[in-house]
């Protein structure tokens, strides 16, 4: 017995443990209060860069695109096209409708990139600033003076420029994270559902392969985003949950940068300031807002948990591609989790929601374990195949 205490639990053993009680009381995925569209074949993300009801959005403090760069065109196409997501059971007629929409998005992307103009400003930018003002009314004037700009950079990144009163966030951040959340939630719920469990377990086994194109896209700036996989959602509940998680994740990134603006102006960099900025963001997301639904705090916890686990995997891939020493634990990222992990035990959540969270964690750990087992040489070979199939001709990672 003593020799087994440090043995790693296998993926299939963990699935058995997590689903042991799920069959009897499986109640489906988390379902937001808002209902889906009639027919459930097309889901619209109206918080992004295209609003089918109100048309395009523009705002004066958006950043202009950098000119006729095919990579920029493909990113813009991806952002616009991501406003529509098909259900998994959408047939040929709906797929044709999606293709027509995609062609329109490509035309808009090319005109914006080659002729100049302003990138439409997404709804979540203004909603975040409103939330921040409500939480910190004493800083309302300072908050109003800070501009938030989305920029065409294929990274999960936000950065503050205190002297310019500007925060930049990569335009792909929210849509990229929504795709990751959609993958995780779809596979987790498929595993929980007794009818689809075998397919879900197989999808979980190859999750690393499903994630790698998205991770590689963050490291090759000549990626053709138009060629990335087109994900579908099995239901409005799954789509809505992925939306909500990604919304929280970009709000965390923005809140961290706002903390630097409001609290750290003129101070030299210090790791303690980074910890304080994280604390400011956690307080905003967990405490400084009225929760519409009782499970909203737990969804916030899930969003941050999956964000840091995904960023850990992302950083490992980046280190291998750049031939840096690999920190397989990613201690700097994992340390950032501790303050909000302490909150998890007191947050209300249904059994179904808790199991989706646990399986999402398991899936990301499983992907990391497979990456470790397959090793750097295997990963670099996958990167070469990605560059050949998904990138415009250019020099390697930048």
């Amino acid at each position: 017995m003593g020799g087994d205490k440090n043995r790693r639990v296998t993926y299939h053993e963990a699935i058995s443990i997590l689903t042991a009680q799920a069959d009897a009381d499986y109640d489906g995925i988390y379902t937001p209060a808002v209902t889906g569209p009639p027919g459930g074949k097309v889901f619209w993300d109206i918080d992004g860069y295209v609003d089918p009801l109100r048309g395009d959005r523009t705002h004066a403090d958006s950043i202009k695109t950098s000119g006729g760069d095919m990579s920029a065109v493909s990113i813009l196409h991806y952002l616009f096209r991501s406003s529509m997501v098909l259900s998994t059971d959408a047939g040929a007629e709906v797929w044709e409708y999606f293709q027509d929409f995609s062609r329109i998005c490509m035309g808009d992307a090319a005109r914006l990139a080659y002729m100049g103009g302003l990138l439409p400003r997404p709804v979540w930018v203004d909603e975040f600033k409103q939330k921040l003002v409500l939480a910190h009314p004493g800083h309302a004037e300072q908050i109003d003076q800070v501009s938030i700009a989305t920029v065409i950079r294929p990274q999960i990144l936000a950065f503050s420029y205190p002297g310019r009163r500007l925060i930049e966030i990569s335009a792909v951040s929210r849509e990229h994270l929504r795709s990751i959340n959609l993958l995780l939630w779809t596979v987790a719920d498929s595993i929980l559902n007794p009818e689809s469990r075998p397919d879900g377990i197989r999808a979980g086994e190859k999750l690393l392969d499903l994630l790698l194109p998205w991770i590689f896209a963050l490291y090759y700036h000549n990626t053709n985003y138009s060629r990335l996989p087109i994900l579908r959602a099995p239901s409005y509940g799954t789509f809505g949950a992925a939306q909500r998680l990604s919304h929280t994740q970009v709000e965390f990134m923005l809140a961290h940068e706002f903390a630097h603006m409001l609290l750290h102006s003129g101070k030299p960099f210090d790791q303690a300031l980074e910890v304080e900025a994280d604390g400011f963001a956690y307080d905003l997301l967990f405490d400084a807002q009225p929760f519409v639904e009782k499970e909203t705090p737990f969804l916030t916890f899930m969003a941050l948990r999956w964000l840091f686990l995904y960023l850990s995997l992302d950083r490992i891939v980046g280190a291998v591609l750049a031939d840096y020493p690999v920190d397989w634990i990613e201690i700097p990222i994992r340390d950032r989790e501790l303050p909000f992990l302490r909150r998890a035990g007191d947050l209300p959540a249904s059994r179904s929601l808790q199991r989706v969270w646990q399986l999402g964690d398991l899936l990301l750990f499983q992907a990391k374990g497979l990456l470790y087992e397959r090793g750097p040489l295997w990963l670099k070979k996958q990167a070469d195949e990605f560059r050949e199939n998904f990138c415009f001709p250019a020099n390697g990672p930048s």
Side-chain angles (χ1 to χ4, degrees):
M1 294 291 291
D4 292 339
K5 66 179 181 180
N6 293 321
R7 184 180 68 84
R8 178 182 164 196
V9 176
T10 69
Y11 170 66
H12 288 272
E13 288 171 337
I15 292 292
S16 297
I17 293 169
L18 292 175
T19 58
Q21 300 298 321
D23 294 1
D25 59 4
Y26 174 73
D27 54 356
I29 56 176
Y30 166 80
T31 304
V34 182
T35 59
K41 303 299 182 184
V42 174
F43 311 123
W44 287 99
D45 184 350
I46 62 173
D47 289 340
Y49 295 89
V50 174
D51 185 340
L53 302 178
R54 294 190 299 239
D56 291 342
R57 310 181 183 98
T58 59
H59 197 281
D61 65 7
S62 291
I63 297 296
K64 289 188 176 181
T65 57
S66 58
D69 176 357
M70 282 306 298
S71 295
V73 173
S74 72
I75 290 174
L76 289 167
H77 175 231
Y78 164 74
L79 293 174
F80 297 158
R81 186 184 68 186
S82 293
S83 296
M84 182 194 293
V85 175
L86 299 182
S87 69
T88 51
D89 61 348
E93 184 177 352
V94 182
W95 173 247
E96 185 175 338
Y97 174 65
F98 176 83
Q99 289 181 306
D100 288 340
F101 174 72
S102 179
R103 283 189 283 268
I104 293 171
C105 290
M106 178 58 81
D108 291 343
R111 281 191 293 273
L112 183 61
Y114 283 95
M115 299 176 64
L118 296 172
L119 180 64
R121 187 155 119 137
V123 167
W124 49 265
V125 169
D126 291 322
E127 287 183 346
F128 168 77
K129 290 187 74 172
Q130 292 169 7
K131 180 184 295 186
L132 196 59
V133 169
L134 288 174
H136 298 278
H139 291 294
E141 185 175 349
Q142 289 175 274
I143 294 169
D144 186 60
Q145 291 172 354
V146 176
S147 298
I148 301 176
T150 50
V151 294
I152 305 299
R153 293 180 63 181
Q155 293 174 288
I156 307 301
L157 176 73
F159 198 82
S160 54
Y161 300 89
R164 296 163 56 190
R165 311 305 296 166
L166 172 68
I167 293 174
E168 290 184 346
I169 183 167
S170 168
V172 305
S173 294
R174 181 177 173 274
E175 279 68 17
H176 181 110
L177 291 170
R178 193 195 72 187
S179 297
I180 302 308
N181 295 325
L182 183 57
L183 268 175
L184 289 172
W185 201 295
T186 299
V187 176
D189 190 68
S190 182
I191 291 172
L192 284 172
N193 186 341
E195 295 182 359
S196 59
R197 183 167 299 156
D199 290 338
I201 291 174
R202 284 192 291 270
E205 290 174 330
K206 64 178 184 179
L207 184 72
L208 176 62
D209 303 305
L210 299 175
L211 289 175
L212 279 180
W214 301 95
I215 300 176
F216 287 146
L218 301 176
Y219 289 96
Y220 290 91
H221 287 197
N222 58 323
T223 296
N224 182 352
Y225 263 72
S226 298
R227 298 199 66 183
L228 288 178
I230 297 174
L231 300 181
R232 297 191 179 201
S235 69
Y236 185 75
T238 302
F239 170 72
Q243 262 188 311
R244 291 185 64 167
L245 296 185
S246 62
H247 202 91
T248 298
Q249 289 160 347
V250 295
E251 283 190 338
F252 170 78
M253 296 166 62
L254 291 173
H256 179 101
E257 297 306 323
F258 256 101
H260 289 317
M261 288 284 198
L262 300 177
L263 307 177
H264 305 151
S265 181
K267 295 182 180 180
F269 173 80
D270 186 278
Q271 188 58 40
L273 301 185
E274 294 300 305
V275 174
E276 187 177 23
D278 276 355
F280 177 93
Y282 297 147
D283 289 343
L284 177 72
L285 295 176
F286 281 105
D287 302 329
Q289 58 177 307
F291 294 118
V292 178
E293 301 170 23
K294 70 175 184 179
E295 291 186 324
T296 299
F298 193 86
L299 286 167
T300 297
F301 161 74
M302 279 183 65
L304 296 175
R305 174 69 170 170
W306 286 5
L307 172 64
F308 283 121
L309 288 177
Y310 179 66
L311 289 179
S312 175
L313 189 62
D314 160 29
R315 299 295 189 271
I316 289 170
V317 171
V320 172
L321 295 181
D323 291 318
Y324 292 155
V326 178
D327 176 3
W328 288 97
I329 300 177
E330 280 294 326
I331 292 175
I333 291 179
R334 302 302 299 277
D335 285 349
R336 297 179 70 183
E337 293 183 321
L338 294 178
F340 75 82
L341 285 176
R342 296 189 184 103
R343 301 172 182 255
D346 300 326
L347 302 178
S350 66
R351 288 192 297 269
S352 175
L353 185 56
Q354 290 182 34
R355 286 172 179 145
V356 171
W357 155 59
Q358 291 169 336
L359 282 165
D361 278 21
L362 170 64
L363 290 167
L364 287 169
F365 280 121
Q366 162 75 358
K368 185 176 176 180
L370 282 177
L371 183 56
Y372 180 79
E373 291 172 8
R374 293 174 180 178
L377 292 179
W378 174 86
L379 181 63
K380 289 184 178 182
K381 181 179 179 181
Q382 302 306 304
D384 289 340
E385 292 181 5
F386 173 85
R387 195 166 55 241
E388 181 179 345
N389 295 320
F390 289 93
C391 291
F392 296 107
N395 298 326
S398 55

